[in-house]
Every structure is written in C-alpha cells, then in structure tokens.
Amino acid sequence: MSRLTGGLIDRSAALSFTFDGRTYQGHPGDTLASALLANDVRLMGRSFKYHRPRGVFSAGSEEPNALVQLRRGARQEPNTRATVAELFDGLHATSQNRVGTLAFDLMAVNDLVAPVLAAGFYYKTFMWPRAFWEKLYEPVIRRAAGLGRLSQLPDPDAYDTGFLHADLLVIGGGAAGLAAALTAARSGARVILADEDFRLGGRLLAERDPLEMPVPDWIAALEAEFASLPNLRVMRRTTIWGTFDHGVHGAVERVSDHLADPGGRVRQTLWRITAKRTILASGATERHIPFADNDRPGIMLSGALRAYANRWAVTPAAHVAIFTNSEEGHRTARDLAAKGVGIAAVIDARPDVPKTEYRTLHGHVTGSRGRLGLRSVQVTAAGRHEWVDCGALGVAGGWNPNIQIASHHRGRPVWDEAAQTFLAGPGGPVGLTVAGAAAGQGSTAQALASGARAAVAALADLGIAAQLPALPVAEDQAPDATPLWHVPGKGRAWVDFQNDVTVKDIALAHQENMRPVEHLKRWTTLGMATDQGKTANVTAIAVMSELTGQPIAATGTTVFRPPYTPVALSVLGGGDTGPQFRPRRLTPTHSWAEAQGAAFTEVGPWMRAQYFPRPGEATWRDSVDREVLAVRAGVGVCDVTTLGKIDVQGADAGAFLDRVYANAMASLKVGMVRYGLMLREDGFVWDDGTCARLAETQYVVTTTTANAGTIYRHMEFCRQCLWPDLDVQLISTTDAWAQLAVAGPRARDLMSRIVDGVDLSNAGFPFMACASLTVCGGLRARLFRISFSGELAYEIAVPARHGAALMARLVEAGADLGATPYGTEALGVLRIEKGHAAGNELNGQTTAQMLGLGRMVNPKKDSIGAVMSRRAGMVADRRVLVGLVPVDPAHSVVAGSHLFAEGAVQDTDHDQGWITSACHSPHLGSAIGLGFLEDGAARMGEVIIAANPLQGQQTALRVTSPHFIDPDGGRLRD
Amino acid sequence: MLIPHPLLGLRDASEFTYLGDAALLDRPDGMAPDAAARFHDYVHLRDNPAGLHRELWFHEQGDRSWLVVTRNTLTHEILGAELARDVKTGGAA
C-alpha cells in the first residue's frame, strides 16, 4: 500500500473493486486512479498505436493514458478516464486496447515497427493496390485501432433531459468559480455553479494549505451558505461540454455513475442551461516537457503527483524525482517530502537552481528505464549523464489555461508573450468572461479575486449590484514563465500520449511541409484522440514554431469544438429511444382497430391500420385481397383522418386558393368539391388533394398525409408573406375531424342509413358534391362525394371524438351489405388499380404534364409554380404515367425498376423511365404497376423491359392505360 | 439560439422552422411579360452574405407567425425580428 497520511478520503469505510480480475480495496473519496495507485498498480493501459505500456498521467479530466473499461455486461463503458471515475463498492474495471494481458500485449509488436508507423503512414502506406483497402487494410486497421469495446447490448439505463435558466452560469468550482458563485449568489441573482468533480474546490483540494484556514473548513462553510441560498443551484458531477449561441450551454450531470446500479434513478441527465452571463473558471492544465522515453508508467504531471499526495493521500512510488523549469517542481517536492515520500532528486532546467533540503540538480532528463514501470531516469548536464533511481517522475513545464469553451464560437486563442500562454481571444461567446487560472490568474489569491471581480462585472451588466465579498488570505505565488518546450535528443519524445505523436513526428510533418497547425494535426493525428490534445496541443505548436523559426504567435493555434470532454450518445438522446424516439400520432379509430386485431404501420408520425386479418388468412396478402374485393363488390370503410385538412375562410378565400393551386378554385360552386393540384414555385408537382367549398367564404382543403405540415406552412407563407392584403384566415383541422372513406357499389345504401334526412340520390348529391349535415340522429358532420378507389364513394367527417363510434356504427349498420373495414394496403391497391397518383408519383421530380395533368395548370392566372412549370426543359420531358402488366402473369412488378426498350443497352442513355408503384391486383389476378415512360401514351400494347439490377430481374411488361378498372369513370359517377 | 419574437418575446429557435432569404417576400408578377426571367432569379439566385442577413423564420411550434429576422451570419447575433406581414405591408400595424 502506498497510502500517505491525511487526504480527503474516508478511511472508516472500505470499498472493494476489481481491475483485470484482481480485487483491491479503496475508500470513499477515491477515484479509480487513486485507488489503483494506492494498491501499487502503475500500469493501467496501452497506447493507441504502438501499444506502449502506460500509467496514469494526470489527476483530472485531461487524462490521456489511463483509459479503462468500466462495468460489465450491457453497462460496459469503454474509454473511461480512471482519473475521474469515482470509486464505488463493486466497481468492475478492465484494461483495454491489448491482445493478451495488459503486461504482455501481443500488439506491442507495433512498437518494434514504429518507423513504418510514423506520421502520415495511413496516407502513404495503404494507397495500393486499390482493392486491398476495403478487403484487407481497413478491416485490419479497424481491429487494431480503437480503444475499448462496446458491449453491443441495449443500454439498460434511463436518461433524462432538463432545461435551466440563470442570470449567471459559473463553469468550474475551484477558487475562482467558488468566489464568483458566492459573490453572485449573495446579490440575489439566479446563479448556477457547475463542476465536473464530485467535490467542490478544484485545485484547492490538491494543494497544501493554499488558504489561511484548512481548505475543507472554508468549503464546508461556503457549502452551508450555498445551501441557504434558494437562488443558487450547485451542480456537482456536471460537465459543461459546450457553449452555443445566445447563452445556451450543454451540460451532462452524472447522476448515478458513482453507483453500482442506478436503481430507480436516471444514469445521466442532459441539461440545456440558458444563462444571460457566463463565467468560465475552468482552471488550467499542466504542461509536460517531452524527453526521450517520457511515456513510462510512473511519469506524470508534477501537479498530479501533488494532487494524489494531498487530496488522495497516495504516491505512485516511495522514491520520486521531479523534472521542472520553475518553482512548481519544488512545490511538489516539498509537499511530497512533508508526507514522508523520498525525493530522489529534483532536476531543474534553470541555470540558477535554488538551495534545497533535498538533492537538486541542474540539467535535463534525457531518458528513462523500466519496461512496465519507471525504474530510473537519465539526467544530463553539461554533457555528463547520470542515472537516478526513482519509481515516479513528476514533470512541471508550466500551465495552459483551459480556454476550450471560450473558443467554441469564433474566438481564437491568442498567444500572450508575457505570460507565455494562450489566452482566450476576442470574438468569444457573447456574455462569457474568463476568470482565475483559465484567465492566467494562476495563484490562489489571484484566482479568488478575479472570480469575485468577474461576478460583480457580469451582474453589473444586467443591472444587478453585487458586493465583493471578504475572501480568505491565500497563497499568491504566480507561476513563472520561461517555458522549456522539449528536451532535444535522439530518442522518441512523446507530445501526444493518447495518439502516440512524438517530437519526431512533428519534425517529419515539418519536413513534409505539413506546417500549418491544421495540417500538422491531420498529418500526425495530434490532438485528435478522446482527450482532444489537452496535454499536447500547445507543446506541439511550440515545437513546430521552433522548427519553422517563427514565433508561436505566427505559428497558429487550434480552435476547439464541443464537447469539452467525451459525452455518451445515450445521454444526448436523452432517453428518447424505442417508442419514445418520436411522438406517435394515433387515429380516432385506433383503439377500435386494435380491438379488431388490425396490423398497424407507421405513416410518418402516424400509426395507421394496415390490414384487418381474419381467422384462416395465412398471409397479409389474403387479408388485403379480401378487403379490396369487398370494396369492389360491396362496401368498405377506411380511416383517412391522417390526410391534412386546412380550413380556409374569408372574403378572399377563393382568390387566395386560385393563387395557391395551379387550377382555378374561385369558380367552384358552393356545395361542390374539386381536385386540386399544387406546384412548388420551381414548377414541379408538390401535392394534391381536394378542395371543398362549404360556403361562399369557406373552403376546406385536404393535403396528402406526408405533406400536411409543410403545405400548411407554405399556405401561411403565401398568406402572410406574399399576399397579406387578402382577407383570408387559415387553420389546420386535421386533428379536429375524424374522416372515414366509405367506398363500393353499396356505399350509397350504407350512407343512406346513417345520414339524417338528406337525399343521396345521384341527382340530389352527385359526384363531387359536399355538404354540412348531421348523421346518426343529430351528430354534426361533413359529407363529401369523392373517390380514391374508383368506386362510388363518400368521405364522412365527424368531430374526432366520435370517429371510433362512427366506424363501429358503419360496420354494424352495413353488415348485410358486406361492410368491411380496410387498411392502408388495400387503400394502396385500390388507388393503383384506378391509376391515381400518390406519394410515389409525387416525389418532387415529376411535373403536371408527366402525370397527365398538364392542362390543369391554368395559363390565365398567376399561381405558385405556374411560370416555372412552363420552362422549356420541363415541357420537353416526354415521360408520362402509364400502367404496366407482366406479359407472363406469374411474374411480379417491382417498384423502382427502370424501363428499357426490348434489346436496348441498359444504361443511362437508354433509360426510358421507371416504375413508381406496384402491387398485386386481385381484380386482374396479376401484378400491376404504374410508372413514367417516354412517349407512353403512344405506346399502348408495346412490350418493354423492367430492369432491376439489384436483384438481377429482367421482366417483360406490357404498356397499358394507368386505369386498370373502369377507365370511363362510370362507377364513381353513377 | 434565441429569437426575439415581436409579440411573444425571446423564444427558443427550436420552436421555429427556417426558410431562408427574406427576398422571397418580393415575388414577381407571374403575368408580366418578363416573368420567366424574373422567376428564374427569384427561385434560384440568393445572396450569401458574410454578415447581416434578413431571413424568414416560421414560428411553427408557436403562434404560426412568419418573421423576418435580421441575423449576422458570422456571429449569429440577432439584431431584430419583425412580423413578415408588417414588412410586406410597409410598417407595423
């Protein structure tokens, strides 16, 4: 055990966990990383490309190396950073990205062939032979690359989405964030404080006595005050992962990731936080100093060593060395020495090394030894080498402010020559200010003061007066600023640990002219791993600047995109999976159809009855054929509520519809219905439907189910944006009226039984008539004599709540007439047999002329799309809608097949059209289809070939009229 | 994104459906002799400014107003929003 004294862990309780099958003990307050170090486990993973042994490198969310798989079974989660995984009893963790054991990874052979795998090797190596890419290279690379593995099982956990609003959002709960939140909350403003850690305090928890009083005491007092302020919401375990326009932030709260089982709770919540002002107090990440073989387990950031000792009371080794270019390294040495850890040496790169109570050497670390963990480091000074034995090395190269979120919009980081760091530049998110170490205010005193000042300024912007609070006396040692970017030498010196990018790779990119930072990134994959280069990018830019001889400011910088740290797709989905994936709309007859045993199908967001199986029917075709024949022979009833209905009222309703529809509507007589064709402004057909004039100033128009929303939007556009001078009002009534189609030769008999006192004879209520009336003894209704099936047919609309009752009444009242409910399949067969166009034909690529409706586009008036429909190219299209039947009745017709003349070469140049719709026609006893065919009207009787290369089908079809039944229309008119 | 609806105040952009350039308000007369050329421009040609852009948004999950929103395409700053009806008729009602 490598436990030290003190720390913020609860030693009164023991937590048991496993890593790679072995059981260990830790305490509440531990992370997986601190608990593994306490159990003398230094080897935690393998690197991405070379499979080098790797240990923990940091003590926070920037961790590049210690990526593990957490949990098992369906809850298995790959690529989790051990440094932020809160320990719980029963935690099951395994190492990843290895073949064999972690200590003996067979893929480590990659390290021996490293020269082949240098920067850009993907681009150079796998170019030829071309066919090898898909069959050989890609599968092999895919297997070798990637880190952890997904469970491939459905996620058993629940997720949630929430919305929060605040005057001020404070990102980060360290010294600056706490001071900002305290200042703002005392003013009465609505404040949210979010921190990714499970304990507030940030870097304060990692230092020895940064305040005049013990840190836990100060934070406990703050938390007590926070709890008394209802205007402040403190969100622990919450990462702000992105900032979006106008003060909208994405946040993930890990509600129960620290529990073995979420129980009844959600696992994570996706919060959308809208804040008027934001303070980014996200701290800083320590820089390392690349030197030869600097990636062995045991080599880590100096500040991380300090954090493990002070917060978690643990050291990775009994004897440690420090490599530093500033006072930072000595701070670590003193903190560790105070806890009884042996200081093998501090290697200080500065020429004037301070006098210390431990061994301090001037020089550089130039190498390391130890296969699975550090044993010694090589120190070089003035050309002389010395090996220093140590089990861990802390590297202190200065600090990089965490400004990622400040550049999620346009703002680019700018190089600050005095501070020798990148700081947030202009053009960042409006309303966001940066405070504390993230703003280069790195001492504890600076951080506290800058947080409080930022809060006062942000609230003053909103007209809220806040007072600077009394803050504790604090450590005020600002980091000094003479960076040492890397130690020159022959060995491989890692810059980006997670993606295995070395100083040599950057030199190679420079040599190959991949010098701009964006090219460097793509050539070497620098910063493209799951850690997004938090410990690598700035160092890499500095190394490139050295190679080009340009200052860093001229070399460039990278901007950042969300997410700040990895976010699981499952929480972004917010639990909207399966039936919750999108809202489902149910028709008024849904429960009635369910009771009849109907099969349902999704039609956009609607669930519609597809067919109504009966006992003895073996397949869906049996049911559909029966329903179709019942309509043709007797009468059928179908719920057609899903078609869009728009009520159009006003003195100018007719004039308005004249401009919206290609054909005339103002001339329609009251009490009559007309088929309506709508074009897009570019002249192609958009939608069709019926237009019924119920009164002088009232029309009801219908749209296809799919376009109900878009056509309503378009008509509102026409009303408000194009012709606001017209006196017309629109409202969508799709959901208000249940509408049922009643079709078949006995439809009039059936309707006569339910309609109250209206003459339905052909003279009294002819084809295309409409009326407001009552049914079933007083229920208000609208009746339309329109047909989609080619039969005598009506559509009857009643208030939606009576839809199911009306359906039941019709089927019951028509039992002796053979009244049969039918679903969307039969509806489709009936309309194909009649040659009616539907969605398959109105696919956005067809013209009125192709549909045989060219003459409907009225040349005497201006309407949407009329002008463009007369374009020469569109008028020249010779394809028209035809019917198609197989020459051999045993053959089927496949929609999507393309049409060719017999014997023609089957390529684009000879393509003569395509099949849009196909079905089996029980009326004809064979397959039939509709399609667009060049000069189709002149080719009746000709045999053509339908080619379906996807399934290797070549079918001979005979061209016919698209009206397979009743071409003269006698059935629906009589 | 938040859009300042002239009647309803700040509303989330997810309540709206975007259409595009507010130049669509100026539909040519389809009966004019040069209608073909003018519709060609109206349907196909759009400016794509880096900066201020007047554009149409429909408050579909709200009061179903069409708005003309002035937005800076570089910064996403929204400088104002008017009812399209008011813009078309030349002033607030």
Side-chain angles (χ1 to χ4, degrees):
Chain A
M1 291 289 283
S2 304
R3 282 287 184 199
L4 309 172
T5 57
L8 298 171
I9 50 171
D10 176 6
R11 289 163 203 268
S12 66
L15 303 175
S16 190
F17 69 100
T18 65
F19 179 62
D20 280 348
R22 287 194 58 184
T23 302
Y24 302 97
Q25 306 284 318
H27 296 294
D30 263 326
T31 62
L32 176 61
S34 70
L36 283 172
L37 290 176
N39 286 280
D40 299 325
V41 177
R42 283 187 301 175
L43 177 62
M44 295 188 198
R46 287 276 173 174
S47 73
F48 179 69
K49 196 157 85 175
Y50 302 133
H51 290 255
R52 301 260 298 182
R54 290 287 166 80
V56 67
F57 186 69
S58 74
S61 62
E62 70 270 34
E63 177 61 31
N65 282 345
L67 301 186
V68 298
Q69 248 164 226
L70 286 193
R71 306 164 191 262
R72 61 185 122 189
R75 291 203 165 92
Q76 174 176 308
E77 187 181 1
N79 307 339
T80 308
R81 291 149 294 158
T83 50
V84 294
E86 195 174 341
L87 197 68
F88 56 82
D89 199 50
L91 176 63
H92 177 89
T94 49
S95 58
Q96 55 186 33
N97 198 34
R98 56 177 164 80
V99 175
T101 66
L102 183 57
F104 189 78
D105 173 10
L106 296 171
M107 291 298 286
V109 67
N110 281 7
D111 200 31
L112 301 175
V113 294
V116 182
L117 300 180
F121 85 98
Y122 282 105
Y123 308 113
K124 296 168 188 164
T125 313
F126 301 111
M127 301 293 288
W128 14 244
R130 196 186 167 94
F132 274 35
W133 175 254
E134 206 171 294
K135 294 206 166 58
L136 177 66
Y137 296 148
E138 192 184 353
V140 169
I141 292 170
R142 291 237 177 262
R143 211 166 25 247
L147 295 165
R149 296 268 177 261
L150 293 170
S151 74
Q152 307 287 344
L153 297 170
D155 188 342
D157 292 324
Y159 300 84
D160 207 353
T161 308
F163 299 81
L164 294 171
H165 296 263
D167 295 317
L168 180 68
L169 168 66
V170 179
I171 304 173
L178 290 172
L182 177 70
T183 307
R186 280 183 181 168
S187 77
R190 289 185 306 161
V191 182
I192 294 171
L193 170 64
D195 191 86
E196 61 182 358
D197 205 335
F198 52 89
R199 194 189 281 272
L200 291 181
R203 194 67 210 168
L204 289 174
L205 306 176
E207 304 294 355
R208 184 164 58 119
D209 299 333
L211 305 177
E212 57 185 314
M213 70 284 275
V215 166
D217 294 355
W218 186 64
I219 292 177
L222 269 187
E223 288 187 306
E225 182 171 352
F226 286 172
S228 74
L229 293 167
N231 55 320
L232 171 66
R233 183 181 185 118
V234 179
M235 303 179 75
R236 295 174 187 82
R237 302 185 176 98
T238 302
T239 302
I240 305 292
W241 54 264
T243 174
F244 302 91
D245 290 314
H246 307 158
V248 175
H249 300 76
V252 168
E253 182 179 8
R254 289 172 294 281
V255 179
S256 50
D257 273 6
H258 59 296
L259 305 172
D261 189 305
R265 302 193 221 188
V266 298
R267 174 134 178 226
Q268 300 180 349
T269 298
L270 179 71
W271 292 104
R272 182 190 166 110
I273 301 175
T274 305
K276 293 175 184 163
R277 293 290 181 275
T278 305
I279 291 176
L280 180 64
S282 45
T285 298
E286 197 167 20
R287 274 177 208 153
H288 68 106
I289 306 170
F291 59 87
D293 293 333
N294 61 329
D295 68 331
R296 296 189 198 282
I299 299 177
M300 60 174 68
L301 295 169
S302 154
L305 269 184
R306 214 151 74 225
Y308 284 116
N310 290 325
R311 176 172 173 183
W312 288 288
V314 68
T315 177
H319 280 82
V320 304
I322 311 287
F323 179 28
T324 184
N325 67 334
S326 70
E327 280 304 301
E328 278 290 312
H330 295 281
R331 195 171 178 179
T332 303
R334 283 192 297 274
D335 281 16
L336 290 173
K339 294 253 183 185
V341 178
I343 305 300
V346 174
I347 299 97
D348 194 327
R350 296 174 297 179
D352 302 317
V353 300
K355 279 204 185 339
T356 52
E357 59 273 28
Y358 42 80
R359 188 173 179 221
T360 294
L361 302 166
H362 165 63
H364 290 160
V365 175
T366 49
S368 72
R369 283 181 183 151
R371 194 175 74 84
L372 298 177
L374 185 66
R375 284 203 328 270
S376 57
V377 294
Q378 185 188 50
V379 179
T380 301
R384 298 181 47 155
H385 308 299
E386 177 191 345
W387 285 93
V388 174
D389 289 344
C390 57
L393 175 76
V395 183
W399 293 84
N400 292 320
N402 291 332
I403 50 177
Q404 287 87 346
I405 284 174
S407 65
H408 276 181
H409 295 183
R410 303 182 71 218
R412 297 177 80 84
V414 292
W415 179 251
D416 186 298
E417 200 57 40
Q420 290 288 297
T421 56
F422 282 103
L423 294 175
V430 174
L432 179 141
T433 49
V434 189
Q441 303 291 306
S443 80
T444 308
Q446 286 175 334
L448 287 168
S450 87
R453 278 198 312 272
V456 170
L459 294 181
D461 263 5
L462 302 177
I464 301 171
Q467 308 298 320
L468 287 175
L471 293 167
V473 175
E475 161 280 319
D476 198 14
Q477 185 185 352
D480 41 4
T482 317
L484 171 60
W485 293 113
H486 72 112
V487 177
K490 285 187 177 170
R492 280 182 292 167
W494 269 262
V495 175
D496 181 330
F497 292 97
Q498 197 171 114
N499 260 358
D500 274 334
V501 180
T502 64
V503 171
K504 276 186 178 174
D505 291 317
I506 298 172
L508 187 61
H510 173 258
Q511 186 187 319
E512 293 174 341
N513 211 25
M514 295 294 172
R515 297 176 190 183
V517 172
E518 305 297 342
H519 288 175
L520 166 66
K521 174 177 170 178
R522 280 154 186 84
W523 197 239
T524 63
T525 72
L526 173 96
M528 289 167 75
T530 64
D531 64 347
Q532 294 282 292
K534 289 189 178 63
T535 55
N537 286 350
V538 174
T539 303
I541 291 168
V543 170
M544 182 56 88
S545 132
E546 219 176 81
L547 292 165
T548 58
Q550 285 185 318
I552 290 176
T555 301
T557 180
T558 53
V559 292
F560 302 90
R561 286 181 290 266
Y564 175 64
T565 51
V567 175
L569 288 175
S570 38
V571 70
L572 289 178
D576 295 338
T577 57
Q580 282 78 46
F581 182 67
R582 62 175 181 184
R584 267 188 338 158
R585 300 177 75 182
L586 303 182
T587 65
T589 61
H590 188 84
S591 49
W592 179 88
E594 261 182 342
Q596 307 299 309
F600 290 91
T601 182
E602 285 187 28
V603 181
W606 292 96
M607 295 300 293
R608 294 186 69 180
Q610 191 175 13
Y611 53 93
F612 294 82
R614 283 194 182 163
E617 291 173 345
T619 69
W620 65 272
R621 260 282 307 282
D622 294 342
S623 309
V624 172
D625 287 357
R626 170 183 52 74
E627 290 171 14
V628 170
L629 292 172
V631 172
R632 297 262 180 250
V635 60
V637 189
C638 181
D639 189 330
V640 293
T641 303
T642 61
L643 273 77
K645 309 179 198 73
I646 301 167
D647 206 303
V648 184
Q649 297 197 36
D652 296 324
F656 176 76
L657 292 174
D658 261 357
R659 300 184 193 186
V660 171
Y661 281 103
N663 51 324
M665 289 299 171
S667 58
L668 182 63
K669 290 189 173 65
V670 173
M672 293 302 289
V673 185
R674 191 172 282 170
Y675 175 77
L677 183 69
M678 265 190 215
L679 307 182
R680 298 191 311 226
E681 194 69 282
D682 67 1
F684 286 89
V685 172
W686 191 351
D687 201 59
D688 69 351
T690 60
C691 185
R693 191 164 199 175
L694 293 177
E696 195 58 37
T697 58
Q698 183 184 16
Y699 292 76
V700 172
V701 306
T702 67
T703 72
T704 57
T705 299
N707 283 336
T710 49
I711 293 294
Y712 176 78
R713 182 192 309 158
H714 166 68
M715 286 173 66
E716 282 290 1
F717 170 80
C718 294
R719 186 179 77 90
Q720 298 176 38
C721 299
L722 299 183
W723 308 301
D725 49 317
L726 294 183
D727 175 11
V728 61
Q729 300 293 328
L730 308 174
I731 190 163
S732 167
T733 61
T734 305
D735 293 276
W737 294 89
Q739 193 146 321
L740 305 180
V742 181
R746 309 302 297 274
R748 181 181 290 121
D749 299 337
L750 177 53
M751 291 312 293
S752 303
R753 296 179 186 179
I754 66 153
V755 168
D756 301 333
V758 172
D759 172 18
L760 290 188
S761 71
N762 212 29
F765 200 77
F767 180 57
M768 296 306 250
C770 69
S772 290
L773 41 69
T774 64
V775 296
C776 304
L779 175 63
R780 71 192 171 99
R782 290 169 175 175
L783 186 65
F784 310 88
R785 190 169 157 195
I786 52 179
S787 175
F788 196 51
S789 56
E791 299 297 331
L792 167 69
Y794 301 84
E795 288 189 15
I796 175 82
V798 294
R801 64 185 180 281
H802 298 296
L806 181 65
M807 180 63 129
R809 179 73 66 93
L810 284 166
V811 172
E812 187 193 321
D816 60 317
L817 306 173
T820 303
Y822 64 99
T824 54
E825 289 294 337
L827 186 75
V829 172
L830 290 163
R831 74 96 189 163
I832 296 171
E833 286 182 339
K834 180 61 184 173
H836 269 308
N840 294 14
E841 285 74 34
L842 312 180
N843 71 345
Q845 299 173 308
T846 53
T847 64
Q849 180 183 301
M850 290 169 73
L851 290 161
L853 305 174
R855 295 174 70 173
M856 284 184 71
V857 184
N858 190 332
K860 293 186 187 135
K861 68 183 178 81
D862 183 17
S863 65
I864 299 287
V867 171
M868 295 296 266
S869 75
R870 293 192 278 267
R871 284 184 280 170
M874 288 176 64
V875 173
D877 198 319
R878 306 201 317 270
R879 292 172 295 192
V880 295
L881 191 67
V882 296
L884 299 161
V885 290
V887 172
D888 179 346
H891 286 163
S892 61
V893 178
V894 180
S897 301
H898 275 246
L899 305 176
F900 296 92
E902 272 186 311
V905 182
Q906 295 186 351
D907 60 14
T908 310
D909 290 342
H910 298 86
D911 192 311
Q912 297 196 322
W914 75 99
I915 298 176
T916 54
S917 300
C919 69
H920 173 82
S921 165
H923 179 74
L924 272 71
S926 81
I928 57 171
L930 298 174
F932 292 105
L933 178 66
E934 272 184 27
D935 299 324
R939 296 170 71 176
M940 294 298 142
E942 189 179 325
V943 173
I944 54 160
I945 300 297
N948 174 20
L950 289 178
Q951 291 165 323
Q953 288 170 324
Q954 300 277 328
T955 312
L957 304 178
R958 193 175 304 282
V959 181
T960 70
S961 154
H963 309 296
F964 295 96
I965 62 139
D966 191 30
D968 303 327
R971 290 193 191 197
L972 45 83
R973 286 193 172 81
D974 297 336
Chain B
M1 261 179 24
L2 303 174
I3 292 177
H5 191 298
L7 305 176
L8 302 171
L10 274 186
R11 309 300 308 175
D12 197 278
S14 62
E15 295 175 6
F16 293 81
T17 303
Y18 181 76
L19 180 62
D21 194 335
L24 285 173
L25 292 176
D26 304 319
R27 185 177 184 274
D29 176 4
M31 304 308 281
D34 60 347
R38 294 180 59 194
F39 267 91
H40 170 272
D41 293 357
Y42 175 72
V43 171
H44 297 300
L45 301 186
R46 299 276 187 284
D47 288 335
N48 185 20
L52 291 191
H53 188 227
R54 281 160 60 78
E55 55 199 21
L56 288 161
W57 292 75
F58 182 49
H59 199 203
E60 188 148 40
Q61 309 296 324
D63 76 341
R64 298 169 184 180
S65 290
W66 275 97
L67 305 185
V68 174
V69 175
T70 305
R71 182 175 65 101
N72 185 326
T73 58
L74 293 176
T75 63
H76 289 189
E77 183 188 2
I78 290 181
L79 291 95
E82 303 158 87
L83 293 176
R85 169 183 289 275
D86 290 346
V87 174
K88 183 75 178 179
T89 55

